[in-house]
Amino acid sequence: MNEFEKIPGSKVMTRRSEPVLTCNDVPYESNLTFNAGITRDDKGYVMLFRNDYGCTQPEWEAGKRFKGTNIGLARSDDGIKWTVFEKPVFALKSDEFDRAYDPRITHLDGRYYICFAADTKHGVCGGICVTDDFEHYDIVSMSAPDNRNMVLFPEKIGGRYVRLERPMPVYSRDGDEQFDIWLSESPDLVYWGKSRLVLGCEHVPYCNSKIGPGAPPLKTDKGWLTIFHAVDKDYTRGKNGWEDKWQKRYVIGIMLLDLNDPSKVVGMSKKPLMVPETDFELHGGFRSNALFPCGMIRDGAGQIRIYYSAGDAVVCMATAAEEDLIALCCEEK
Ligand code: BMA
């Protein structure tokens, strides 16, 4: 059964009752399929997903680790039933780069840009690459470390390309992983600057740690509709997932950013949009209790689809009416 069902606690979201992608759908080595970027082209829905491979839960608990991470490609006619291509399409492995992960896709100027995180020998960088066919990828830019969770806006604003990003200031910011959402601009997608704060994690009432941008924002009359993840840490939490302890909970938040200056928040829901509630969100993942959104698109019938990962293990989908999401951001300024 993979039917829509209303889950109590989410005011406006309707989840699918089963994940839309799991490692069982992947024709190559795969253990965790998650953090998927979504777009549409003239052939249908396109998904790029993170694939961690080479380790099972019992092996992990016995001390083994993953062999690696690559990025897989899947296509779908309806955005629900996905067919995974025979081979992964992207990986970064060199003397300096360990892996690329968490792809977010933006259709911009007729091309597909993918923001990704890159683990390097010298820190975590935010990368941007471009593709026209989802087979060949050229790297356009790479940030200095530590930075990740980048998303590109789907058009220039004020004559410049704009991205949201999440630097990780460990030296200068009090507290335990107090990381915020920032914005930078670029004339050419290569050189980035004019960086400024968008949202401090202390301004999110249900968060006591870091936040980060989720999916490329959607333009609406009321502003850029923007989702993000927010983390709360609770040191009484014990094992929930593969690791000995997993004390974080990742929830999804939503806000509206100013159309002309998206560094300004014009409205934000003071409650999370989604929290882990279903069985597959609460149990059985690599890091259970974690919702991590990387895709948000319109379905063409007034509904917005949010693609999110549950437990760093599977890709899931939930929908809401666009007007309900906007109202949530506006009603609780
Ligand atoms: C974040 C990133 C994501 C991951 C999430 C939950 O910090 O590492 O890739 O999905 O944590 O574990």
Side-chain angles (χ1 to χ4, degrees):
M1 281 280 282
N2 203 13
E3 308 247 312
F4 282 92
E5 62 181 17
K6 286 272 178 206
I7 303 293
S10 300
K11 240 157 116 187
V12 304
M13 299 304 301
T14 303
R15 285 160 161 90
R16 287 197 70 82
S17 57
E18 299 291 335
V20 296
L21 192 86
T22 75
C23 62
N24 299 328
D25 301 314
V26 180
Y28 43 88
E29 194 172 10
S30 173
N31 297 93
L32 306 170
T33 54
F34 61 115
N35 295 0
I38 306 281
T39 191
R40 255 191 315 214
D41 67 5
D42 51 3
K43 291 188 221 110
Y45 289 82
V46 183
M47 176 193 287
L48 289 172
F49 62 91
R50 167 175 172 178
N51 177 52
D52 287 7
Y53 62 92
C55 188
T56 61
Q57 181 165 3
E59 288 170 343
W60 176 280
E61 286 168 351
K64 191 180 169 187
R65 291 299 174 257
F66 290 99
K67 274 193 230 158
T69 295
N70 48 39
I71 307 288
L73 170 67
R75 281 193 171 275
S76 168
D77 292 334
D78 58 7
I80 295 164
K81 203 177 171 325
W82 293 86
T83 305
V84 178
F85 280 55
E86 230 158 81
K87 288 185 182 147
V89 288
F90 189 74
L92 269 189
K93 193 80 187 146
S94 66
D95 287 347
E96 180 58 18
F97 287 101
D98 286 332
R99 59 176 185 163
Y101 55 102
D102 298 359
R104 276 100 166 183
I105 312 171
T106 299
H107 191 212
L108 174 64
D109 293 346
R111 310 190 75 190
Y112 296 94
Y113 289 88
I114 293 103
C115 295
F116 58 93
D119 287 352
T120 80
K121 296 277 184 294
H122 296 89
V124 183
C125 302
I128 301 175
C129 63
V130 64
T131 185
D132 296 309
D133 55 12
F134 293 101
E135 280 175 35
H136 306 96
Y137 297 81
D138 294 315
I139 292 181
V140 175
S141 81
M142 196 66 77
S143 79
D146 274 350
N147 201 334
R148 72 173 161 211
N149 300 312
M150 281 176 183
V151 299
L152 265 178
F153 284 72
E155 60 183 71
K156 283 184 177 172
I157 303 168
R160 302 212 183 243
Y161 298 101
V162 182
R163 74 183 184 199
L164 298 175
E165 59 197 300
R166 211 289 303 282
M168 293 179 256
V170 287
Y171 175 68
S172 54
R173 193 93 163 81
D174 283 343
D176 189 0
E177 288 193 300
Q178 301 290 293
F179 303 157
D180 316 293
I181 296 177
W182 286 66
L183 172 149
S184 296
E185 298 182 7
S186 172
D188 55 6
L189 292 162
V190 178
Y191 294 92
W192 291 91
K194 215 178 163 196
S195 302
R196 48 208 195 269
L197 182 71
V198 177
L199 183 68
C201 58
E202 71 276 18
H203 296 126
V204 179
Y206 45 85
C207 172
N208 67 7
S209 180
K210 55 192 174 176
I211 53 176
L218 289 179
K219 194 178 194 179
T220 76
D221 291 349
K222 298 281 192 295
W224 290 99
L225 192 63
T226 305
I227 51 170
F228 57 92
H229 65 259
V231 176
D232 69 78
K233 287 185 178 173
D234 176 347
Y235 292 106
T236 66
R237 290 182 188 134
K239 186 170 170 67
N240 187 8
W242 295 19
E243 292 165 307
D244 288 344
K245 280 184 190 159
W246 174 240
Q247 301 178 312
K248 299 176 189 173
R249 182 180 74 145
Y250 278 67
V251 305
I252 303 176
I254 190 157
M255 62 181 168
L256 278 172
L257 303 179
D258 186 87
L259 281 179
N260 301 315
D261 178 1
S263 68
K264 292 189 185 136
V265 178
V266 293
M268 181 183 78
S269 173
K270 293 286 189 286
K271 289 188 192 138
L273 178 66
M274 292 177 70
V275 302
E277 285 174 301
T278 65
D279 188 49
F280 58 82
E281 293 168 354
L282 291 168
H283 310 288
F286 173 65
R287 288 172 167 170
S288 294
N289 218 15
L291 305 186
F292 200 84
C294 292
M296 177 170 68
I297 53 172
R298 292 188 168 91
D299 76 346
Q303 296 283 308
I304 287 181
R305 295 178 168 193
I306 293 177
Y307 289 83
Y308 64 99
S309 302
D312 281 0
V314 293
V315 182
C316 308
M317 189 188 96
T319 58
E322 181 163 343
E323 59 195 32
D324 288 346
L325 293 177
I326 293 171
L328 268 188
C329 299
C330 299
E331 80 190 11
E332 301 177 78
K333 253 187 191 174

